[in-house]
Amino acid sequence: GAGVSQSPRYKVAKRGQDVALRCDPISGHVSLFWYQQALGQGPEFLTYFQNEAQLDKSGLPSDRFFAERPEGSVSTLKIQRTQQEDSAVYLCASSPQTSGSYNEQFFGPGTRLTVL
Amino acid sequence: TQLLEQSPQFLSIQEGENLTVYCNSSSVFSSLQWYRQEPGEGPVLLVTVVTGGEVKKLKRLTFQFGDARKDSSLHITAAQPGDTGLYLCAGASNNDMRFGAGTRLTVKP
């Protein structure tokens, strides 16, 4: 497939469990973004990678959230000790641009996380 | 909290009507994008505007970037049921992109 893919599409976790969400960006895209989208809201920025470097993690809500992109391609967003307020759709986007103001982003379908 | 305010939050109209939705901020952006998102999918880019005062047309959709690059509008002419969806604006500066909460549009046949 040519688009951004995310897995799993749906994840149900018990409060306190750790989860890992995967993003496969479009091949060759340098930039990768993670967003959190709560019900009825727009996406909220979490973190940004340029290749394997995490250049901005200012949007991560707590130290329970951790993201990595070790080889500059696939990325994983990990949430430790999940809480009910973590329930949301987690969106991944990739972009061929490296920096600058013109960031055309291509989004994956998202992972819907429900914490019980 | 959303840096960009979108209005209205919800809009329900009949097929064939015209509509305008707005995206406002106190911040200046180097570019602004409009996306459409359907249930269970990620947002899909519609347009990017870069220059203050810029107007872009995409079939029945007209996008305008404010002169001060703080606000934008999306006008749809003769809306169709296929236009139904969540319309999101996103302001970009450097490597940051911030989204509004969106306008949820329903076009009834």
Side-chain angles (χ1 to χ4, degrees):
Chain A
V4 178
S5 61
Q6 293 187 244
S7 61
R9 290 294 311 276
Y10 303 91
K11 177 69 179 177
V12 178
K14 292 183 179 179
R15 188 162 58 98
Q17 282 185 334
D18 299 348
V19 298
L21 313 180
R22 177 187 170 106
C23 172
D24 286 79
I26 294 173
S27 178
H29 277 196
V30 172
S31 297
L32 186 145
F33 304 80
W34 282 99
Y35 294 87
Q36 180 190 62
Q37 186 173 25
L39 188 64
Q41 297 295 315
E44 293 269 7
F45 170 81
L46 293 177
T47 186
Y48 160 67
F49 289 87
Q50 183 175 310
N51 295 309
E52 69 278 4
Q54 190 174 19
L55 299 186
D56 187 347
K57 53 182 181 179
S58 62
L60 296 177
S62 77
D63 58 7
R64 297 186 295 105
F65 287 70
F66 172 77
E68 60 182 4
R69 195 187 184 197
E71 298 180 359
S73 178
V74 172
S75 178
T76 303
L77 176 66
K78 297 179 180 178
I79 308 174
Q80 297 177 323
R81 305 180 304 280
T82 52
Q83 303 294 316
Q84 285 188 323
E85 62 262 29
D86 299 335
S87 296
V89 174
Y90 290 86
L91 293 166
C92 174
S94 69
S95 172
Q97 288 92 0
T98 56
S99 64
S101 61
Y102 187 95
N103 274 324
E104 180 174 355
Q105 299 186 16
F106 298 84
F107 282 83
T111 294
R112 180 176 296 278
L113 172 65
T114 303
V115 181
L116 303 177
Chain B
T1 57
Q2 307 285 163
L3 185 61
L4 292 103
E5 297 294 327
Q6 290 191 245
S7 61
Q9 188 175 357
F10 299 95
L11 185 58
S12 181
I13 61 172
Q14 292 295 133
E15 182 176 4
E17 292 184 4
N18 302 332
L19 68 114
T20 302
V21 299
Y22 300 92
C23 174
N24 296 294
S25 176
S26 58
S27 299
V28 176
F29 297 105
S30 48
S31 67
L32 191 139
Q33 299 180 336
W34 284 92
Y35 290 80
R36 191 175 89 176
Q37 185 176 23
E38 299 194 31
E41 299 181 8
V44 176
L45 180 67
L46 296 174
V47 77
T48 301
V49 286
V50 180
T51 306
E54 181 177 3
V55 176
K56 281 192 174 179
K57 292 191 174 182
L58 182 66
K59 297 184 180 178
R60 293 177 294 100
L61 278 60
T62 301
F63 305 85
Q64 184 162 8
F65 201 11
D67 291 341
R69 305 207 313 275
K70 293 182 179 180
D71 53 80
S72 181
S73 63
L74 160 58
H75 182 79
I76 302 179
T77 302
Q80 299 177 1
D83 295 328
T84 293
L86 179 66
Y87 288 82
L88 295 160
C89 67
S93 58
N94 299 318
N95 292 321
D96 289 340
M97 178 171 290
R98 298 293 183 260
F99 282 82
T103 291
R104 189 166 298 280
L105 172 65
T106 302
V107 182
K108 301 175 184 177

